[in-house]
Amino acid sequence: MRHVCRLSILAFGLVVLALFTVAPSRVVYACSCVPVGSPQEELDRSDAVFGGTVASIERVDPMNVRVTFDVAQVWKGQVVSPLVVTTTADGAACGYQFAPGGEYIVYAYAQDGGLATSLCSRTQP
């Protein structure tokens, strides 16, 4: 009886090991940011800094979202209202999680002909 029990445990262990070996792996992203500087330092580093309200959030693809802002105040950059800023969709990939209707100060940088932001910027409610 003990022999059958040991074989069962061994067989179970081999099945579990096989599942980990055969199962497809996923790409995992992790956000790691350098500490942000003072508001003035980040203003100097950013391409645009503005305050505004989130008018809409649209998923562009599985990795990115497009956030449209009604701009209320501009501290830096060629900013018009409404303004579209992109960010990654997932906080684990350093994407900033905006809330519809939320008011934010956004520190943005130029990317692919537009503006983008991330968790690693000084962007905040």
Side-chain angles (χ1 to χ4, degrees), residues 1-2 12 23-24 32 38 41 48 58 69 74 81 87 95 99 115 120:
M1 183 72 167
R2 292 175 86 192
F12 178 75
S32 178
S38 70
E41 290 171 331
E58 172 191 6
F69 287 90
V74 177
S81 187
T87 189
L115 291 172
C120 298

Side-chain angles (χ1 to χ4, degrees), residues 32-91:
S32 178
C33 303
V34 173
V36 294
S38 70
Q40 185 60 53
E41 290 171 331
E42 294 304 314
L43 176 75
D44 293 342
R45 286 186 190 127
S46 300
D47 294 304
V49 180
F50 64 92
T53 304
V54 174
S56 67
I57 301 172
E58 172 191 6
R59 187 173 287 268
V60 178
D61 57 41
M63 287 296 298
N64 299 292
V65 294
R66 183 178 296 136
V67 184
T68 303
F69 287 90
D70 291 326
V71 177
Q73 189 166 0
V74 177
W75 289 278
K76 183 177 181 181
Q78 300 292 335
V79 176
V80 296
S81 187
L83 178 69
V84 174
V85 175
T86 59
T87 189
T88 55
D90 189 354

Side-chain angles (χ1 to χ4, degrees), residues 2 9 20 29 31 48 65 77 86 91 110 112:
R2 292 175 86 192
I9 291 171
F20 282 116
Y29 299 96
C31 182
V65 294
T86 59
D112 299 329

